[in-house]
């Protein structure tokens, strides 16, 4: 019976149904299922499946976006309950992410943040138009493992380099990995500015993040 519920949770993510996911999360709590089990044995299974399908070209961006929305809806019910009960979800690592100063594109960045969070990372999303110093301050404050920097404009991608340079100056560069992304970003740009990795999509970003922290 519980197994059947877990499968339905995973399916709600695969189908990209936020309302269904939220309802299943509420039902899980009402019937005494541990919120952490609902996440790990139910919803995350759906995220993993969607990730695999996206990688092999069986699912596309709109489906990924909807899966992300469904995951957010489930987490919006389960995470507050976990906090209330004092349960902490084992975190794979901590990521501070944002879109650089001067840039307000947030669709890709938010998708990366959602997928990282759904995959088990603790994510601090700073939003858009984020000044260089704010990435560093937040990373220091939350003891981040990774800073994720998004830039969609050729005029703003230079700020990714500014974050890497500022991180070096702060003395934190040896502790914190940097992952860059956004439409104009290439592996060659990532190498040039001294970032540790890049990905052209959110599923790839989860893989890069895991690799950067040695999983
Ligand atoms: Co915007 N815009 N835009 N735009 N915009 C682009 C980016 C252009 C390429 C369109 C074009 O000219 N062909 C272009 C940039 C050209 C250039 O710099 N060479 C452009 C321009 C010029 C502008 C304005 C300057 C237009 C104007 O006002 N004259 C203006 C800039 C405003 C500003 O930021 N200061 C502007 C505004 C807008 C909006 C507001 C209308 C809207 C943004 C809405 C929003 O984000 N809330 C918008 C949009 C939607 C786009 C396009 C059409 C889509 C971007 C997008 O969301 N893609 C884009 C054209 C394009 O990119 N093909 C166009 C989908 C997401 C899922 O992909 O690449 O963002 P993504 O993210 C991926 C990937 O890169 C990676 O994973 C993500 C998930 O799959 N990734 C990371 C991203 N961040 C990562 C971080 C990591 O650590 C790791 C991986």
């Amino acid at each position: 019976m519980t197994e059947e519920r877990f499968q339905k949770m995973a399916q709600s993510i695969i189908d990209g149904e936020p309302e269904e996911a939220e309802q299943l999360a509420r039902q899980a709590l009402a019937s005494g299922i541990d919120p952490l089990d609902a996440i790990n044995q139910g919803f995350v299974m759906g995220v993993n499946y969607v990730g695999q399908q996206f990688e092999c070209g069986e699912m596309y961006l709109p489906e990924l976006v909807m899966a992300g929305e469904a995951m957010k809806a489930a987490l919006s019910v389960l995470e507050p309950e976990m906090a209330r009960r004092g349960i902490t979800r084992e975190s794979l690592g901590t990521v501070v992410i944002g879109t650089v100063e001067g840039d307000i594109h947030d669709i890709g960045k938010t998708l990366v943040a959602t997928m990282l969070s759904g995959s088990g990372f603790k994510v601090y999303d700073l939003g858009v138009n984020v000044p260089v110093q704010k990435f560093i301050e937040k990373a220091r404050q939350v003891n981040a493992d990774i800073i994720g920097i998004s830039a969609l404009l050729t005029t703003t991608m230079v700020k990714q380099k500014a974050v890497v340079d500022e991180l070096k100056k702060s003395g934190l560069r040896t502790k914190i990995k940097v992952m860059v992304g956004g439409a104009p970003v290439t592996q060659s740009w990532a190498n040039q500015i001294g970032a540790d990795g890049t990905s052209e999509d959110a599923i790839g970003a989860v893989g890069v993040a895991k690799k950067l922290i040695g999983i």
Side-chain angles (χ1 to χ4, degrees):
M1 185 62 185
T2 307
E3 191 50 44
E4 205 177 298
R5 277 176 190 265
F6 287 148
Q7 276 173 14
K8 278 191 182 169
M9 291 174 201
Q11 196 61 45
S12 70
I13 303 299
I14 297 165
D15 294 340
E17 297 281 359
E19 281 170 24
E20 172 78 357
E22 189 180 328
Q23 202 185 348
L24 286 166
R26 289 192 195 288
Q27 284 170 5
L29 293 182
S31 57
I33 293 177
D34 187 302
L36 197 56
D37 289 345
I39 293 175
N40 290 337
Q41 295 180 51
F43 296 110
V44 166
M45 295 299 170
V47 174
N48 290 344
Y49 179 81
V50 169
Q52 287 156 9
Q53 295 298 100
F54 182 78
E55 274 179 346
C56 64
E58 295 291 326
M59 280 189 169
Y60 299 98
L61 191 58
E63 288 152 305
L64 198 59
V65 172
M66 287 317 292
E69 290 303 315
M71 188 67 191
K72 265 195 222 166
L75 291 178
S76 74
V77 174
L78 299 170
E79 284 189 334
E81 182 57 22
M82 282 165 53
R84 201 182 63 79
R85 297 185 195 180
I87 307 171
T88 38
R89 193 174 161 206
E90 198 190 332
S91 162
L92 297 181
T94 301
V95 182
V96 167
I97 193 167
T99 301
V100 293
E101 191 166 15
D103 199 326
I104 59 162
H105 294 86
D106 75 346
I107 298 170
K109 179 269 302 163
T110 304
L111 193 52
V112 172
T114 305
M115 288 299 156
L116 285 171
S117 167
S119 305
F121 284 87
K122 173 96 187 137
V123 179
Y124 294 88
D125 185 345
L126 302 178
V128 297
N129 195 21
V130 181
V132 171
Q133 206 53 45
K134 199 167 167 196
F135 281 101
I136 315 294
E137 279 164 19
K138 191 70 188 178
R140 191 193 297 276
Q141 184 201 340
V142 301
N143 200 14
D145 300 295
I146 299 172
I147 296 181
I149 323 166
S150 192
L152 267 285
L153 301 170
T154 43
T155 48
T156 59
M157 61 195 288
V158 288
K159 295 283 181 181
Q160 294 181 323
K161 180 173 185 314
V163 176
V164 176
D165 291 346
E166 202 53 39
L167 199 57
K168 281 183 197 155
K169 277 193 214 153
S170 72
L172 291 170
R173 185 66 185 100
T174 49
K175 287 194 204 150
I176 301 175
K177 303 286 183 191
V178 176
M179 176 169 73
V180 289
V185 173
T186 58
Q187 184 62 55
S188 145
W189 169 251
N191 296 343
Q192 192 186 322
I193 65 170
D196 300 297
T198 182
S199 165
E200 58 186 31
D201 62 63
I203 298 302
V206 173
V208 170
K210 285 185 177 170
K211 206 167 145 201
L212 290 180
I213 57 164
I215 300 176

